[in-house]
Amino acid sequence: MTRYNAPFEIHVHGDVPLREDVAYGQIQDALKPLWQYAGARSLAAAAESSYEDEPGIRFDAEAHVLQMCWTVPGDEDFRQVIEEACMGLNDIASAGAPLEVSFYDTEFDEEDETSEEEARDDFMMCFVGPTPAAIMQVQRDLLVQDVVHIMERHFDAAELGDVVGSIDKLFSQRFDALVNSMQLGRPPRGHGGGSSGHGGGRKPRHLH
């Protein structure tokens, strides 16, 4: 159904590498929760974003990559929908990948200086991949990038080896627990299912 008075504009952003044998029909099935949420009867009908400057949902058949830069009106219930879509993408992904999901408060007016209300904007990260090892690898890489970026304001990159090593140790401990319970292959070091986080402040939409 169409959500005319939805409290949020929800933006999904990320590139997911897919297996070479994956066909368009499999992508449509995997993303069924998203295009049904948008009120469409097929992926093609929902692939365009609410904003013309965003590519929407595209499949690069030559590179075997699903590209998503797509905005849809919605509510908090979208969190469950994106989790279901990630489960579908796990079945066709060839490697781990992060997806950024941003919630923009449509009722918040930045121009209203008299209002004391704060925007209900929110942000979460989702991770997809063919195995828990691939997903954890992406999580690890993203965390290292964020931590190093922050700490390089105060320290040289060469001084941060111990910090990165500590992050690797934490992920190794977490993965050892998975290995013991599920008999999984260990992810390679130096590179990081689903995880979410919340961020304050208004985050600008991706522009293309």
Side-chain angles (χ1 to χ4, degrees):
M1 63 178 179
T2 304
R3 295 167 170 78
Y4 291 104
N5 297 310
F8 295 103
E9 285 183 341
I10 303 167
H11 183 72
V12 182
H13 192 94
D15 294 341
V16 181
L18 304 180
R19 300 194 319 267
E20 292 189 5
D21 63 326
V22 170
Y24 183 82
Q26 292 171 278
I27 301 172
Q28 177 164 263
D29 287 344
L31 296 182
K32 187 174 182 179
L34 295 187
W35 53 262
Q36 284 190 331
Y37 190 84
R41 295 185 177 182
S42 68
L43 175 57
E48 289 189 9
S49 177
S50 299
Y51 291 92
E52 293 182 357
D53 62 339
E54 295 176 353
I57 301 175
R58 294 181 178 180
F59 173 48
D60 185 334
E62 183 175 346
H64 297 284
V65 173
L66 176 67
Q67 301 170 332
M68 304 181 70
C69 182
W70 181 72
T71 298
V72 64
D75 207 333
E76 291 285 353
D77 58 352
F78 186 81
R79 297 177 185 274
Q80 178 63 35
V81 171
I82 190 65
E83 288 183 5
E84 292 174 1
C86 286
M87 292 294 290
L89 289 174
N90 287 342
D91 293 334
I92 61 176
S94 64
L99 291 177
E100 303 175 7
V101 183
S102 304
F103 294 77
Y104 298 99
D105 187 350
T106 59
E107 298 174 357
F108 180 75
D109 185 2
E110 290 184 289
E111 304 298 325
D112 186 2
E113 298 180 358
T114 63
S115 176
E116 296 182 356
E117 294 184 3
E118 295 185 356
R120 295 172 298 164
D121 294 0
D122 207 352
F123 175 78
M124 62 184 290
M125 290 292 297
C126 298
F127 299 89
V128 301
T131 64
I135 291 172
M136 193 170 291
Q137 190 76 83
V138 174
Q139 290 178 303
R140 179 268 174 203
D141 289 351
L142 201 60
L143 178 58
V144 168
Q145 290 175 14
D146 289 344
V147 170
V148 169
H149 177 71
I150 292 173
M151 296 193 69
E152 278 185 334
R153 302 172 187 171
H154 309 282
F155 301 92
D156 291 333
E159 299 178 88
L160 301 179
D162 288 344
V163 175
V164 175
S166 295
I167 293 173
D168 281 335
K169 182 178 180 180
L170 289 171
F171 274 99
S172 293
Q173 291 172 348
R174 176 178 291 182
F175 203 81
D176 283 343
L178 279 174
V179 170
N180 291 335
S181 62
M182 301 175 64
Q183 293 299 310
L184 301 171
R186 177 179 292 277
R189 283 197 173 198
H191 291 281
S195 177
S196 63
H198 303 272
R202 300 223 87 184
K203 185 172 179 284
R205 290 192 304 112
H206 291 276
L207 299 178
H208 295 265

